[in-house]
Amino acid sequence: MSKPAAQLRINIFKLHTAARTQAVCADVLQEARSWSKLRPHRPGDCLMPKRMIRPLRSESDYDSALEEIERYFESEPKPGTPEGDRFDLLALVIEDYERKHWPIDPPDAVDAIRYRMETGQHTQADLGRLLGSRQRATS
């Protein structure tokens, strides 16, 4: 077979493949249109399912989860609904990721007492009365 004839066969094959691909795409499009007839469009509804919630393994997963959960901050979904369940699951995986990647160490006991005294506007005399001894409050 000559080179031009082989090239012609390749071109015919490519055209045939492209036509078949277009036909398949047209069938998929037609099927999608039939779905909308069976289930009319409602606000917030779509034909494509939402992404499955998975454990967050990277910073980009974390950022995506934050973007998604922010949409619920304006109006929190009702508990027990599919949207409410999704909100709860997103909150859990975000909390888990944050706890693993940015742990918060518990405060020193003395620093915690001092902080509580400052925020509650308590004095060392108040602490001494609570402990039963003013000397204990100063040490």
Side-chain angles (χ1 to χ4, degrees), residues 29-72:
L29 184 61
Q30 184 62 34
E31 186 175 341
R33 286 185 182 137
S34 71
W35 292 342
S36 64
K37 290 175 188 169
L38 295 173
R39 182 175 178 184
H41 177 73
R42 293 172 292 189
D45 194 16
C46 65
L47 295 175
M48 297 298 292
K50 292 187 178 184
R51 289 184 315 141
M52 183 185 301
I53 297 175
R54 299 183 179 275
L56 306 179
R57 294 188 174 94
S58 68
E59 191 75 25
S60 67
D61 290 346
Y62 174 72
D63 291 338
S64 296
L66 285 179
E67 281 180 26
E68 186 170 348
I69 203 168
E70 283 175 0
R71 290 183 284 166
Y72 295 111

